[in-house]
Amino acid sequence: QVEVSFPKRSDGILEAMEVKLTQLGSDCSVSGRVSEYLLKKHEAMAELTKALEAGMTPVISYWNSKDMLWMDGLAADGRG
């Protein structure tokens, strides 16, 4: 089961992006909340709000592979 919410502030700008993953028959769940989105050193939640209002569809993928660790941080060359 996947729950996603996009609560807004009183001025209509996104306050956060929230995700909760659950599995039927299990008491375990995983939750995440992103309440700050910095892009080139400025707060980009207003830009994301406009994109969502224009019809952008967010896509979230949760998976694991030992061959894809370069996506999670610095590689051997020190770059992301």
Side-chain angles (χ1 to χ4, degrees):
Q1 303 288 333
V2 178
E3 293 177 38
V4 179
S5 62
F6 299 91
K8 291 184 177 181
R9 304 184 314 214
S10 61
D11 61 0
I13 302 298
L14 282 177
E15 176 183 322
M17 297 173 283
E18 302 172 338
V19 177
K20 182 177 181 181
L21 305 175
T22 58
Q23 187 173 3
L24 292 175
S26 174
D27 292 335
C28 183
S29 66
V30 176
S31 298
R33 177 182 169 94
V34 176
S35 58
E36 183 178 59
Y37 177 39
L38 298 176
L39 180 63
K40 296 183 182 179
K41 298 184 180 182
H42 76 275
E43 179 57 47
M45 279 294 200
E47 293 175 38
L48 183 56
T49 300
K50 288 179 186 176
L52 289 168
E53 288 174 343
M56 181 185 81
T57 301
V59 177
I60 298 169
S61 177
Y62 182 75
W63 54 277
N64 185 9
S65 171
K66 291 182 181 181
D67 297 330
M68 300 297 285
L69 293 178
W70 58 271
M71 292 181 74
D72 293 330
L74 298 178
D77 63 3
R79 299 173 62 187

